[in-house]
Amino acid sequence: DMYQTFDQWDDLAAEPTAAAISSSSDAASSSKSSSVAVGRDIITSVCLLRASAALRTKIRSRGGDEVYEWERWLRQELWLQNQLLAKQQQQEKSKSTTPLPPWQGKDFFAAKIQPAAIVLNKFRTRQWDEFAFLSKDVNKKMTKKERSSVIARLDFLRDVIMGVTAAKEAEIVVLDILLRAEEEAASNGGGSSLDRYLEEFLPLVESWTLWMALTRPSPMQRHARVFSLLDAMDDIDSVGVGMVAEEDEMENVKAAMDEYEFGASAGGKRLAAAILKRMSTYVMLEEKKGIPDGEDVSVDFILPSKVTKESEWEKQWPEEEQRVEWMNRIGNLALVTSRPRSRSVKKRATDSSWEQKCINFKKEPWLLTRQLVELDGWDAAAVQDQQKDILSLTDLVWSFGEGTK
């Protein structure tokens, strides 16, 4: 059993591409293995995330602390499960004389590691169609719009968690929700608990992830939020009790979004792209328009980050101080589909006139970007109006209390 478990760990830790090549060249070996290869990075992340969730503690991934915490998690799970088995055996003592086998490392792997690794890999690689709770055959009550909304939330969470350091702790609770949703779908085909995970907890996690990314609270504050959500899900009837944010929290998020210099850093651009994509998806769903599937996105500076002398942009924005004030704000950023481009093409795109930008924006699948072409030009007043429109959408897409959309 021990060596078989080692083999299962190795199968799971194999690189997905290498595993696919191996399985295609050896059908017999493929049929013998029930593991899905996810890679060592996913397994390492799963151990950190699930140990943090189980122990309700922050685990550092450097200095050897994680090994101690992993062992503590393993020992805790073995003790808890064997206590449950002993209780079960005591209750069934009169019915059977055969002792139940103790919970061991192989059971820990099968119950705690393998399912979580597969789910995390699906989340990070956007394999939304592979989730049972999103399947029409399993969750028959879910409408097309509801499914698209859940995917939009998950896509936003995935982009922010993987792109913004200050929001990475949110993955602890996202993984927990996904595991619970899959378990509910497998056992009940989508019951009331599944509805609450998707309609109450997931929107709350999404809103608090935005809060983490924009306001950059301390690690202690971030972990406190995550653990409070985990506690509420452990006792699902208590959802909403103590989970409502302060009344001014949304205003704090909007103020942070208003002042944030998104265009000044790579992380800020990734965050802006995730926010604008989520907003555009929301508007398109409300207007019953199709959502682009699996598109990688980035942002384009509408007012260029570098304005050449005597250009049309310098004539429209003669004051350098005003250009600096608005250049990196989210109102000056347009969501665009990422495409490989040479340096010369990137340079031409940066120097593009407003007219040329409109030609490019008109080709984009994202509604908020296409709407920009309706404007006559791009001056300070246009940027400020766009900034206000984006901030007003924040109230519609995200909220922080009970009855979350």
Side-chain angles (χ1 to χ4, degrees):
D1 284 350
M2 179 176 69
Y3 290 113
Q4 185 180 6
T5 303
F6 288 161
D7 289 341
Q8 290 173 343
W9 274 92
D10 288 340
D11 289 343
L12 191 64
E15 290 303 317
T17 51
I21 295 170
S22 173
S23 63
S24 63
S25 63
D26 187 352
S29 171
S30 176
S31 62
K32 210 163 51 172
S33 173
S34 61
S35 295
V36 176
V38 299
R40 294 187 181 280
D41 288 344
I42 290 288
I43 293 181
T44 300
S45 295
V46 157
C47 289
L48 284 169
L49 295 168
R50 299 308 289 155
S52 291
L55 301 173
R56 299 293 198 269
T57 188
K58 175 186 175 183
I59 300 177
R60 293 187 302 174
S61 58
R62 295 192 183 101
D65 285 2
E66 71 275 20
V67 177
Y68 166 76
E69 298 294 355
W70 290 342
E71 182 181 355
R72 189 158 73 93
W73 174 37
L74 171 60
R75 290 181 182 277
Q76 174 179 291
E77 289 295 336
L78 291 177
W79 183 84
L80 286 171
Q81 294 298 330
N82 282 315
Q83 288 292 310
L84 291 173
L85 283 174
K87 186 176 180 180
Q88 181 182 346
Q89 190 164 329
Q90 186 68 27
Q91 291 172 346
E92 298 179 357
K93 193 172 183 181
S94 59
K95 300 178 184 178
S96 173
T97 57
T98 306
L100 296 171
W103 221 66
Q104 302 176 54
K106 63 177 182 178
D107 303 301
F108 176 79
F109 171 81
K112 301 295 180 181
I113 301 297
Q114 190 176 44
I118 292 170
V119 164
L120 182 63
N121 185 55
K122 290 176 185 176
F123 172 70
R124 289 189 177 180
T125 55
R126 288 196 178 107
Q127 297 182 50
W128 311 127
D129 290 339
E130 298 299 316
F131 283 102
F133 70 86
L134 288 172
S135 169
K136 296 176 185 176
D137 296 330
V138 177
N139 193 352
K140 298 182 180 185
K141 296 187 300 179
M142 180 177 279
T143 66
K144 184 177 180 181
K145 182 180 178 182
E146 288 170 344
R147 183 179 186 275
S148 296
S149 295
V150 170
I151 291 174
R153 293 188 193 283
L154 291 172
D155 210 42
F156 173 77
L157 284 164
R158 182 253 181 207
D159 290 344
V160 175
I161 288 168
M162 296 187 71
V164 182
T165 303
K168 63 182 181 179
E169 287 86 357
E171 198 167 38
I172 297 171
V173 71
V174 171
L175 178 56
D176 203 83
I177 288 176
L178 293 175
L179 286 167
R180 290 171 188 263
E182 287 291 85
E183 185 178 346
E184 283 292 320
S187 60
N188 300 318
S192 60
S193 293
L194 176 58
D195 292 341
R196 298 191 72 184
Y197 290 137
L198 300 183
E199 296 171 11
E200 296 180 37
F201 282 109
L202 186 62
L204 194 55
V205 172
E206 185 190 18
S207 298
W208 281 358
T209 301
L210 178 66
W211 168 77
M212 290 180 191
L214 287 173
T215 65
R216 289 173 278 191
S218 70
M220 183 179 294
Q221 290 174 305
R222 300 197 297 263
H223 278 90
R225 288 292 173 95
V226 166
F227 297 150
S228 67
L229 279 164
L230 292 174
D231 289 340
M233 284 192 292
D234 282 345
D235 182 8
I236 194 167
D237 291 335
S238 73
V239 65
V241 179
M243 304 302 296
V244 182
E246 297 293 332
E247 289 184 5
D248 61 347
E249 189 146 61
M250 176 57 86
E251 292 304 317
N252 291 341
V253 166
K254 289 169 67 176
M257 189 183 296
D258 189 26
E259 298 170 2
Y260 202 107
E261 296 281 326
F262 290 94
S265 67
K269 292 174 191 173
R270 289 193 295 269
L271 178 56
I275 291 171
L276 292 173
K277 179 181 175 183
R278 179 70 179 95
M279 288 180 167
S280 196
T281 301
Y282 173 85
V283 173
M284 293 168 81
L285 281 173
E286 290 300 306
E287 297 188 7
K288 299 182 180 180
K289 299 181 183 294
I291 307 300
D293 186 24
E295 296 277 6
D296 287 328
V297 296
S298 58
V299 289
D300 180 39
F301 289 91
I302 304 175
L303 167 67
S305 54
K306 294 180 181 178
V307 174
T308 54
K309 288 186 177 181
E310 299 182 1
S311 66
E312 288 298 319
W313 286 112
E314 189 181 49
K315 292 176 184 176
Q316 276 195 308
W317 293 78
E319 298 179 20
E320 183 179 3
E321 184 178 344
Q322 192 176 48
R323 293 200 301 266
V324 170
E325 179 184 359
W326 287 101
M327 182 193 312
N328 293 314
R329 309 276 277 280
I330 198 167
N332 187 53
L333 300 176
L335 182 69
V336 294
T337 304
S338 296
R339 299 181 182 91
R341 296 187 295 178
S342 65
R343 288 191 177 184
S344 60
V345 173
K346 287 181 181 178
K347 186 176 186 302
R348 288 199 301 273
T350 300
D351 291 340
S352 294
S353 65
W354 167 247
E355 289 74 18
Q356 182 58 51
K357 284 182 180 288
C358 285
I359 293 172
N360 296 335
F361 293 161
K362 197 171 183 179
K363 300 174 185 176
E364 288 294 332
W366 307 104
L367 185 59
L368 293 185
T369 304
R370 293 202 306 270
Q371 288 176 344
L372 292 169
V373 304
E374 299 171 5
L375 301 174
D376 295 329
W378 195 253
D379 55 15
V383 179
Q384 291 167 23
D385 287 343
Q386 178 72 354
Q387 184 90 356
K388 290 175 184 175
D389 290 344
I390 289 172
L391 293 176
S392 66
L393 267 176
T394 306
D395 291 317
L396 299 176
V397 181
W398 296 285
S399 62
F400 286 80
E402 296 176 278
T404 311
K405 301 181 186 64

